[in-house]
Amino acid sequence: MTESIHKTNLLGMCPDKLEAFFAELGEKRFRATQVLKWMHQLGAENFDDMTNISKVLREKLKQVAEIREPEVVTSDVSKDGTRKWVIRVEGGSCVETVLIPEGDRATLCISSQVGCALDCSFCSTGKQGFNRNLTAAEIIGQVRIAIKSFGPMDPSKPRRVTNVVFMGMGEPLMNFDNVVSGIKLMMEDNAYGLSKRRVTLSTAGVVPGIDKLIEETDVSLAISLHAPNDELRSQLVPINKKYPIDELIAACNRYLEKLNDKRVITIEYALMAGINDQVSQARELGRLLKRVPCKLNLIPFNPFPNSGYERPSDEAILAFKQIMLKAGIMTTVRRTRGAEIDAACGQLVGQVEDRTRRSQKYIPIVQESTV
Ligand code: SAH
């Protein structure tokens, strides 16, 4: 580890950066493509694996560079096939990554930060406080770890991870550059080759980040809305005070306009009993969502100790859904997956060495570490 401090980690470098790295070494650009393929399609652990690269260059690479991915601490599989990894990142904190298989799809839910600074009232990650942004290597490392868990990586085999969503720990738009580097690798043909429709960034509503994102990439966008009006949303999702609903909806429309294809925004709405699940709130939400092409994903609240919120009854969830459907909004209810291994939305806690001291406010609340 100590010796690695001065070496450049190539794992998180998007193609442009890797090309620049090889140019600086006085090497041809195609070396970047070769190394990308080795790292991301074949899962190479070190430069000696890279047999189509000359020994001389391999030795040179060993001197200055490394392939370093975060360390897997635990890997649990739940009865429904959902798999959760606890991953230790440099500095000792842990983040969580979840793979959700469903028919011929397998969606990987990745983390973008150690903890989260946004402090949404109903999210257990928020209660952990915030430590730091993940590096691009730690972001793409989660994808590599998941794919490698199926055995030797083999690009000729059907994809083991078909979709990636930034719905794990953290607010991806608060870690913009590293998240964008990770996205570029996910979508790069010489790396993971996922299509723009199969990579989704979910945000609590960082409006300037949404506008910046479309200049860099064209992934699908999900918004964690959770309330039909500013008064309630500001209580649940405090960043709403800075970027209220009108501004958020306008940013979503700008994003879709630039995408200029048939995609719509995914709206996430965690249903909490007596908080945001009332008939009148469903009607208000129906009116609001008329203003942006979208599909609505209702997430029945996933409980964690002392959260102070409850999941609505199945009847209430269904009634809410019916009102939305009647309002003409495409609506689905997210099935809870991996609950017994604490892998469901909002249950990801990792092990965050909090630097904000926020977690101290919640000491009795914090879940037992999963490690
Ligand atoms: N910060 C980003 C990425 C996190 S995505 C965002 O807010 O979009 C995680 C999703 O799960 C978000 O929609 C979040 O609001 C939701 N969520 C958080 N806690 C939850 C809980 N306890 N039950 C259900 N959904 C929850």
Side-chain angles (χ1 to χ4, degrees), residues 212-268:
K212 234 169 106 186
L213 188 66
I214 195 66
E215 302 301 327
E216 295 282 345
T217 178
D218 53 0
V219 286
S220 300
L221 187 64
I223 301 289
S224 294
L225 190 67
H226 308 311
N229 57 56
D230 282 323
E231 197 192 344
L232 179 61
R233 189 164 196 269
S234 293
Q235 287 170 31
L236 301 175
V237 183
I239 199 172
N240 189 69
K241 292 178 207 145
K242 199 159 179 193
Y243 307 115
I245 292 177
D246 275 352
E247 285 183 30
L248 185 54
I249 297 281
C252 288
N253 279 314
R254 288 195 293 275
Y255 194 87
L256 289 181
E257 206 170 290
K258 293 239 173 104
L259 282 185
N260 195 22
D261 54 22
K262 295 243 159 67
R263 273 180 291 169
V264 299
I265 304 284
T266 301
I267 302 287
E268 297 160 273

Side-chain angles (χ1 to χ4, degrees), residues 95-119:
V95 296
E96 300 186 344
T97 306
V98 177
L99 184 68
I100 307 147
E102 198 157 37
D104 52 8
R105 280 163 51 137
T107 301
L108 189 69
C109 178
I110 62 171
S111 294
S112 56
Q113 297 182 310
V114 182
C116 187
L118 296 189
D119 202 15

Side-chain angles (χ1 to χ4, degrees), residues 144-164:
R144 203 173 98 121
I145 284 169
I147 296 178
K148 276 201 305 191
S149 72
F150 295 106
M153 278 164 89
D154 182 350
S156 67
K157 290 223 175 102
R159 293 228 164 86
R160 303 292 209 166
V161 169
T162 59
N163 297 61
V164 177

